[in-house]
Amino acid sequence: MAKKVGVYICKGCGIGEALDVDALAKVASKEYKAPVVKTCDVLCAPEGIELIKQDLAGEGVNLVVIAGCSARVNYDHFDFGPEILVERVNLREQVVWTQPPDDEDTQMMAEDYMRMTLAKTKNLELPEPFIGENLSKAILVVGGGLAGMTAALEAANAGHQVILVEKESALGGWLNKVYKIAPLAAPFTELQDPDVEARVQAINDNPRIKVYTGATIASTAGAPGMFDVTINTAGGEVTERVGAIVLATGARPYDPEKLGHLGYGQFADVITQAQLEELVKAEGKVVRPSSKEEAVKVAFIQCAGSRDPEHLPYCSAACCVESIKQALYVKEQNPEAAVYVFYKDIRSSGQYEHFYKQAQMQGVVFVKADVESIEEGEGGKLAVNAQDLMMGAPTLLDEVDVVVLANGMVPSTLVDENLPPEEQTRILNLKYRQGPELPTLKYGFPDSHFICFPYETRRTGIYAAGSVRRPMDMLQAVEDATGAALKAIQCVEMTARGMAVHPRSGDLSFPEFMMSRCTQCKRCTEECPFGAINEDEKANPLPNPTRCRRCGTCMGACPERIISFKNYSVPMIGNMVKAIEVPEEDEEKPRVLIFACENDAIPALDMAGINRLNYSKWVRIIPVRCLGSLNLVWVNDAMSKGIDGVLLLGCKHGDDYQCHFMKGSELAGIRLSKVSETLDRLGLESERVQMEEVSIMDYDKIPGIIERFIEKIEEFGPNPMKGF
């Protein structure tokens, strides 16, 4: 489309006092020939918005450049509809709030940002949404337990068709195996009936829910809005088209055979929580498995395997509440029975503190202790040897009828590395180039980002819910399933509009491939964090636009630079680099370029500005969607132009804090190792390019990070490419 640029410079928030706004306007009108350039006292005020709207209608402006505050604020004020392109120049947070006013170098920084933004607009195009064919808004729920049934009902009640697949012959999952459940509602003190029949009836009565029991997923092909799922049923294969998937396949108990040190397998009366449920359902009361005599003295051992680096390093979250519930089974059948709970920490989160208190009032004794061994006692009963952590002394509980181990849980997605690939458990059988199942974090949970994006997995449109996502109790599983259903609905609705889902929600752009130049190197298909790109038999990439999260990692990976977005491309960022004015060597004004990830680094830089933290006047900042989108040609361009150093600021990555696009920072680090070759070729020190990981909370460290890098650059001296 023919673009007509309108540049609007705000003088509010101290910009007008700190900068020569007229000189800034000349950069736009004289150097870049912007046909419309105007200033305004407060651009986000009604009169400022009206000023722009008049030019949209009267002057035919269709590309608006706002020079004022950060793009992270007032974006709703400057949204002029899908037909108008908007770019922002951050003069406030990144210039006047971090630099001294009325200063030559502050003015140079502001003018550079104006040049960089206008240079980017040369290649900018209006994004055209990708709308798939035969889109479906149906939701597939895999797993018919409490979480799965909840997700199915919530999605159906919101007006969506639901396909519910359960591998067992009946719905209910774990609920079918328990005698009672912990309370799911106030006052959180009484045991509750599982009420499986009513829950299943609600599913069967809902006309929007189609149920397949005794069924498994044979294959899942396609992408959000267009998943074609083949289901193995007793009557043969059926195929369903769905828009999004909720994975609610739950967890399984940790293998008790590995708990021999706690007497499991050695004594018949040492059992697990799951076995106690089976026992009570079968016998109607708590009995000794060895003799079927009613148990009058029962010990519960918490963290049997959990929070143990030799077994499960994590807390299984639900065990404490389950043991409290089972302790109340014993008290319910015999109030005079002796019940002991040996624990490291009682974790009855939220309202379950009331449940914990109820057990104490019923006479259940809680002992904070490390259990050292279970031994055979007198009369064939059991003895529990422990170290009492409150008393600081050994303690012995003898004549115990039954010992119950809280043996924790592992997700159904956990891969048994001891088994060959063909014998591994398969759930979704994805037809993805990067593998048939969801990628998992350590411990086998498929959540992609447990801090920022719960429910998200690393496969777009597939959301994990319940204990397959992380250890949780039933109350949490109900809430979790509701959240996952909402995420699935959000996905199908956004996909129908051609929009991206988290974290670039609403983005209409998607990667476009110039296939005539593709060398089939496979880097894009291998490095995409979300498995969005398949391959044909000749290794040509086969993009699936609705799987794409718009991070640009494929763009950064491509050595031929054949991948671009309408509003984000290698030439656009390259033009920004080339637009920076680099002073001559004798002016002693070095230039450092910062490529900053828009997810954490840019917010941290903005926060530094909001807190009026000063940092070096020599830096110029270019936001990138993710450091994974960094193309090394940008570093080459910067160094060739005479930029003295390049600093990459990206999200932290790892198991404790994840890069927003999962692998961006990690990939940038790998690519950075290759930069030394480029710098060596140019005869430059490889330390001129450095990467730092920051979170938004590191904003107060930003000035220090920049200053230390500048000091290092000054030690090296000016880039010898300056002036060439």
Side-chain angles (χ1 to χ4, degrees):
M1 75 177 192
K3 289 176 285 194
K4 185 169 185 179
V5 180
V7 178
Y8 301 89
I9 305 172
C10 181
K11 295 192 286 185
C13 297
I15 295 172
E17 291 78 26
L19 298 174
D20 181 346
V21 172
D22 291 336
L24 203 56
K26 283 184 182 176
V27 172
S29 59
K30 302 296 183 185
E31 293 184 32
Y32 285 86
K33 312 298 182 191
V36 177
V37 180
K38 294 183 178 178
T39 63
C40 179
D41 289 337
V42 185
L43 207 48
C44 61
E47 56 270 26
I49 303 299
E50 187 56 32
L51 174 73
I52 299 171
K53 286 183 175 178
Q54 286 176 1
D55 288 346
L56 298 180
E59 298 288 340
V61 169
N62 56 8
L63 198 168
V64 175
V65 175
I66 305 290
C69 50
S70 166
R72 300 184 68 251
V73 297
N74 290 329
Y75 43 81
D76 50 342
H77 290 66
F78 301 125
D79 181 358
F80 302 106
E83 301 301 319
I84 305 298
L85 288 163
V86 177
E87 284 293 314
R88 305 282 291 272
V89 185
N90 190 345
L91 297 179
R92 192 178 70 173
E93 286 85 348
Q94 291 182 8
V95 183
V96 302
W97 283 0
T98 59
Q99 306 297 322
D102 295 321
D103 181 88
E104 177 187 71
D105 294 313
T106 302
Q107 184 69 25
M108 290 176 73
M109 177 183 276
E111 291 181 8
D112 264 351
Y113 283 137
M114 179 65 79
R115 292 186 185 97
M116 292 157 70
T117 304
L118 288 169
K120 179 186 178 185
T121 63
K122 289 180 180 176
N123 295 83
L124 199 63
E125 294 182 55
L126 199 64
E128 298 170 4
F130 173 85
I131 307 296
E133 295 181 357
N134 191 22
L135 289 173
S136 170
K137 291 186 178 182
I139 311 293
L140 171 70
V141 178
V142 184
L146 179 61
M149 289 192 293
T150 302
L153 282 169
E154 293 289 346
N157 291 338
H160 288 262
Q161 297 296 317
V162 175
I163 313 298
L164 177 58
V165 176
E166 165 58 42
K167 68 176 182 180
E168 302 294 339
S169 59
L171 297 176
W174 175 243
L175 289 179
N176 289 321
K177 300 176 181 177
V178 298
Y179 173 62
K180 298 280 186 180
I181 61 174
L184 299 179
F188 291 96
T189 55
E190 303 299 326
L191 298 173
Q192 193 171 316
D193 192 274
D195 208 11
V196 182
E197 295 77 12
R199 296 175 194 274
V200 174
Q201 192 62 45
I203 295 281
N204 292 334
D205 289 346
N206 195 313
R208 293 196 182 96
I209 303 177
K210 184 191 290 186
V211 180
Y212 294 100
T213 53
T216 55
I217 306 298
S219 69
T220 304
M226 301 173 289
F227 285 117
D228 290 316
V229 182
T230 303
I231 304 168
N232 278 329
T233 71
E237 286 190 346
V238 296
T239 301
E240 299 278 1
R241 170 157 281 211
V242 300
I245 299 170
V246 174
L247 181 73
T249 48
R252 58 180 182 269
Y254 180 65
D255 183 2
E257 299 293 338
K258 297 176 180 177
L259 302 176
H261 63 294
L262 293 175
Y264 189 87
Q266 184 179 356
F267 305 113
D269 292 332
V270 177
I271 59 176
T272 65
Q273 289 180 325
Q275 289 172 320
L276 182 69
E277 294 292 344
E278 293 174 9
L279 194 64
V280 178
K281 282 202 77 171
E283 303 293 333
K285 57 184 178 180
V286 180
V287 299
R288 295 180 65 191
S290 61
S291 63
K292 303 301 181 186
E293 297 171 350
E294 182 175 314
V296 296
K297 194 171 187 178
V298 181
F300 292 87
I301 311 299
Q302 298 308 105
C303 297
S306 296
R307 303 172 65 194
D308 181 343
E310 298 297 320
H311 297 278
L312 300 177
Y314 54 86
C315 171
S316 291
C319 306
C320 288
V321 172
E322 285 297 296
S323 288
I324 291 171
K325 179 193 75 173
Q326 294 181 340
L328 289 174
Y329 290 174
V330 184
K331 283 293 186 180
E332 194 176 59
Q333 74 184 36
N334 180 3
E336 301 303 319
V339 184
Y340 297 84
V341 178
F342 292 86
Y343 69 94
K344 292 180 180 176
D345 301 288
I346 289 295
R347 294 183 172 178
S348 52
S349 58
Q351 299 297 323
Y352 284 129
E353 279 294 302
H354 299 291
F355 200 42
Y356 176 31
K357 187 177 179 182
Q358 175 71 358
Q360 290 175 309
M361 293 173 65
Q362 295 296 319
V364 177
V365 177
F366 291 84
V367 184
K368 185 174 177 65
D370 281 336
V371 175
E372 296 176 337
S373 66
I374 309 295
E375 298 175 358
E376 185 172 4
E378 294 182 5
K381 295 196 175 182
L382 300 168
V384 178
N385 292 300
Q387 187 70 24
D388 190 318
L389 299 178
M390 299 296 284
M391 302 300 291
T395 186
L396 170 67
L397 181 69
D398 58 6
E399 298 183 342
V400 177
D401 292 318
V402 179
V403 170
V404 184
L405 304 180
N407 55 321
M409 64 175 79
V410 294
S412 55
T413 46
L414 179 68
V415 173
D416 187 344
E417 296 179 351
N418 296 318
L419 294 175
E422 62 274 14
E423 295 180 25
Q424 300 287 352
T425 301
R426 298 287 183 230
I427 299 175
L428 294 175
N429 285 301
L430 299 168
K431 298 296 183 185
Y432 280 44
R433 188 256 188 237
Q434 292 187 5
E437 296 298 325
L438 298 178
T440 59
L441 297 173
K442 68 178 180 181
Y443 312 138
F445 294 98
D447 204 1
S448 70
H449 195 302
F450 56 89
I451 294 177
C452 294
F453 314 133
Y455 319 115
E456 301 274 358
T457 71
R458 300 186 191 202
R459 295 292 174 259
T460 307
I462 304 176
Y463 303 94
S467 54
V468 70
R469 186 172 77 81
R470 65 170 176 79
M472 63 180 70
D473 56 48
M474 288 188 179
L475 183 60
Q476 291 174 323
V478 170
E479 295 170 351
D480 212 56
T482 306
L486 287 172
K487 291 293 293 187
I489 291 170
Q490 181 190 54
C491 175
V492 297
E493 295 296 338
M494 299 284 269
T495 300
R497 294 171 172 82
M499 295 177 171
V501 295
H502 242 45
R504 291 188 60 81
S505 304
D507 188 352
L508 292 170
S509 68
F510 61 91
E512 298 174 17
F513 292 65
M514 189 184 293
M515 292 304 301
S516 59
R517 287 174 43 203
C518 179
T519 59
Q520 295 82 38
C521 71
K522 300 185 180 183
R523 291 184 191 172
C524 58
T525 58
E526 290 175 355
E527 294 190 6
C528 174
F530 306 104
I533 309 170
N534 281 355
E535 284 173 11
D536 66 13
E537 64 281 359
K538 295 181 180 177
N540 290 304
L542 300 173
N544 291 274
T546 63
R547 290 185 199 168
C548 177
R549 305 269 184 104
R550 283 70 164 176
C551 60
T553 297
C554 54
M555 188 180 91
C558 182
E560 295 297 315
R561 290 168 248 155
I562 69 164
I563 305 171
S564 62
F565 298 77
K566 294 284 190 196
N567 54 5
Y568 187 60
S569 68
V570 173
M572 282 180 211
I573 303 301
N575 287 344
M576 294 179 78
V577 173
K578 293 168 186 170
I580 299 170
E581 289 207 337
V582 179
E584 296 294 332
E585 181 178 337
D586 57 6
E587 294 183 58
E588 298 184 348
K589 293 184 175 182
R591 285 290 179 267
V592 166
L593 179 59
I594 297 178
F595 290 109
C597 171
E598 67 180 13
N599 295 293
D600 261 20
I602 287 293
L605 286 159
D606 281 357
M607 285 289 288
I610 290 168
N611 286 277
R612 306 299 199 273
L613 302 179
N614 295 116
Y615 53 74
S616 174
K617 55 195 174 187
W618 309 135
V619 301
R620 300 293 184 265
I621 300 165
I622 294 180
V624 294
R625 292 186 176 187
C626 171
L627 279 192
S629 68
L630 179 82
N631 195 296
L632 292 183
V633 72
W634 298 337
V635 177
N636 188 66
D637 286 348
M639 287 301 170
S640 300
K641 184 175 174 59
I643 298 287
D644 297 284
V646 176
L647 181 61
L648 313 181
L649 291 181
C651 302
K652 294 183 176 181
H653 76 278
D655 290 320
D656 297 328
Y657 193 95
Q658 302 268 312
C659 163
H660 287 59
F661 287 114
M662 316 311 153
K663 298 197 298 186
S665 297
E666 182 182 0
L667 288 170
I670 295 170
R671 290 174 194 159
L672 191 60
S673 64
K674 300 174 183 174
V675 168
S676 59
E677 295 176 19
T678 303
L679 296 180
D680 288 343
R681 193 170 65 248
L682 295 171
L684 296 171
E685 300 83 359
S686 58
E687 293 89 345
R688 285 182 184 271
V689 184
Q690 185 175 314
M691 177 177 163
E692 294 281 348
E693 294 180 356
V694 295
S695 75
I696 186 172
M697 297 308 295
D698 292 333
Y699 70 90
D700 57 335
K701 299 173 184 169
I702 292 287
I705 291 171
I706 293 174
E707 292 306 326
R708 285 192 292 277
F709 186 63
I710 295 281
E711 287 173 8
K712 183 181 290 185
I713 295 301
E714 288 178 339
E715 288 175 10
F716 292 137
N719 179 349
M721 304 295 291
K722 229 180 265 286
F724 287 91

